[in-house]
Amino acid sequence: MTSSPVRPDGHPLRVLCESVLSRIEELSVVVTDDIRRELPSYAAFPLAEQRRTVRSRLQALLRGLALDVEPTAEQLLEFQSESRRRAYYGLPVQDALATFHIGARRLWDELRAAARGTAAEDTAVELVAPLWAWVQSVSGVVADAFADEAGSRYGREAGLRQRFLELLRTGGAPREHAAEIARELGFDPDGDFRALCTPAAPWAAQGHLGLLQRAARQLPGRVSCGLSGQLMVAVTQRVDPADLANRVINLGGDDARVGIGLDRSGLAGAEMSIADAERALAVAELDGSATSFEDVWLQASLIDSRERLHPLFAEVRRVTGEQPLLAETVIAFADSGSSLAQAATVLGIHPNTVAYRLGQWHRLTGADPRTFDGLLRSVVGITG
């Protein structure tokens, strides 16, 4: 094709294209139905709008074929604008491109049928090359439009996720502002939230956080990942925390450590769950790869109070180091429900020996393991 018309009025191929163009309303409905049948993703796109755009595309294509001209810059910009709308609705780029192939296929069938018994019957095949040239030209701008929209949308969503995390971490922001961002990210601000924390280092490299965010989209529910100081924080809703923790470990490496917060209600609960997860992470870095606050709530709650509580446990820790058998007996006594007989069975000694060791522990540490306070203080001091 050229940039100026070469087919005069009455040319058989021009007459053929104009005959099909006269049925544009009927044809646009048929092509729209073909697209929606073959591409289920288009169910999310407004039907009336799709019929209008299919009509304008077919009309431009048929006029171009009739006159033997390439798409104009204005037409390509229009196609590009329409494609951004489809990207906005979340339609896959491959489906958007497939619509042109579906339309071209149907259009060629119509042209071939209309050519039978006319002067264009033997020359209609000459329209094949310009038809696919149109499809190729338009496909290029569509792909560019989707790439631009995806990049813009990804950048905006990344910014929203980071802002949402900052609002939750700092607190004090107007609740409606945080709720608005939560809704934009697909969260229910009044629903239950659960947070996961892991060290930020593996995710600070370009693109790594995006890989995790994309992996998280495969899970049921909603996940928003962001960096906060030395932490990577994932705020979730209706997500199995074990599944997300596994993805963090798979992408972050087997030595990745994960802290999991409690399920808590509302945006204030989301903020508290982040604090839970941060404390659980401190325990995880000592004891394992993934740790839930629910399982280590006591250690996690005390871990950032070590300096303040140090005098309470100084003697317990000293005696633990000097008399490990006594410490072992205290733990066995606690695990046995404060039963001398059961602790004796576990340790393979006489109950009187257990009683003697507990008395020695009390004398040396000042903490009586036969009382609730003394046993708690002893266990925390030994294991903390």
Side-chain angles (χ1 to χ4, degrees), residues 319 323-331 357-358 360-361 364 382:
V319 175
Q323 302 283 344
L325 283 178
L326 298 185
E328 180 186 20
T329 303
V330 170
I331 296 299
R357 289 181 181 177
L358 295 180
Q360 288 293 96
W361 178 267
L364 294 171
I382 294 169

Side-chain angles (χ1 to χ4, degrees), residues 18-326:
E18 289 172 346
S19 71
V20 175
L21 185 59
S22 68
R23 296 187 291 107
I24 192 67
E25 298 296 340
E26 172 193 346
L27 184 56
S28 62
V29 171
V30 171
V31 171
T32 301
D33 291 345
D34 286 347
I35 291 170
R36 294 177 87 88
R37 182 175 59 255
E38 294 187 34
L39 303 172
S41 63
Y42 268 80
F45 195 76
L47 176 60
E49 181 178 349
Q50 186 181 5
R51 281 186 174 154
R52 284 196 302 273
T53 56
V54 167
R55 183 185 184 280
S56 68
R57 288 175 178 182
L58 290 174
Q59 191 172 49
L61 176 52
L62 280 167
R63 284 175 177 167
L65 293 176
L67 300 175
D68 194 27
V69 294
E70 298 175 352
T72 65
E74 290 76 13
Q75 288 171 330
L76 291 176
L77 288 173
E78 184 178 348
F79 290 143
Q80 195 172 60
S81 176
E82 292 170 359
S83 298
R84 287 197 179 96
R85 282 280 294 165
R86 282 147 177 77
Y88 173 81
Y89 273 89
L91 300 177
V93 63
Q94 63 268 24
D95 285 4
L97 292 171
T99 63
F100 291 96
H101 292 266
I102 293 169
R105 185 180 67 212
R106 171 66 71 168
L107 184 57
W108 171 243
D109 289 342
E110 294 289 330
L111 287 166
R112 194 170 51 174
R116 292 192 186 103
T118 72
E121 184 171 8
D122 294 331
T123 57
V125 70
E126 294 177 17
L127 294 174
V128 172
L131 173 60
W132 289 106
W134 261 77
V135 170
Q136 287 180 325
S137 295
V138 174
S139 295
V141 299
V142 170
D144 289 345
F146 266 78
D148 290 346
E149 179 64 22
S152 172
R153 194 171 181 185
Y154 178 82
R156 182 173 182 277
E157 286 185 359
L160 284 175
R161 289 194 295 269
Q162 194 62 37
R163 180 60 178 151
F164 183 53
L165 179 57
E166 289 169 0
L167 290 174
L168 293 178
R169 291 284 279 167
T170 58
R175 183 193 180 281
E176 198 48 46
H177 182 35
E180 181 182 350
I181 295 178
R183 292 188 193 97
E184 285 199 61
L185 292 172
F187 291 109
D188 173 8
D190 298 316
D192 290 342
F193 290 85
R194 188 191 296 267
L196 284 79
C197 288
T198 190
W203 314 103
Q206 183 69 30
H208 285 208
L209 190 61
L211 289 175
L212 178 60
Q213 186 68 47
R214 281 191 287 276
R217 287 199 185 105
Q218 300 170 9
L219 300 173
R222 305 297 299 181
V223 179
S224 177
C225 302
L227 299 178
S228 179
Q230 300 302 308
L231 296 176
M232 190 289 292
V233 180
V235 180
T236 77
Q237 200 165 68
R238 303 181 306 279
V239 171
D240 185 334
D243 286 345
L244 182 56
N246 286 337
R247 280 166 170 74
V248 170
I249 293 168
N250 287 340
L251 290 172
D254 290 339
D255 59 347
R257 299 292 180 260
V258 180
I260 303 170
L262 295 178
D263 223 11
R264 296 183 182 271
S265 180
L267 294 174
E271 183 180 357
M272 292 178 67
S273 189
I274 293 173
D276 295 342
E278 188 173 0
R279 286 170 169 77
L281 175 61
V283 177
E285 289 180 323
L286 298 173
D287 298 336
S289 60
T291 302
S292 172
F293 184 83
E294 184 175 3
D295 297 328
V296 295
W297 62 269
L298 181 58
Q299 292 165 272
S301 298
L302 295 176
I303 205 161
D304 56 358
S305 300
R306 286 180 175 178
E307 293 301 318
R308 183 164 52 87
L309 299 178
H310 178 75
L312 292 176
F313 303 108
E315 286 304 298
V316 170
R317 288 180 179 142
R318 180 185 65 79
V319 175
T320 297
E322 295 175 356
Q323 302 283 344
L325 283 178
L326 298 185

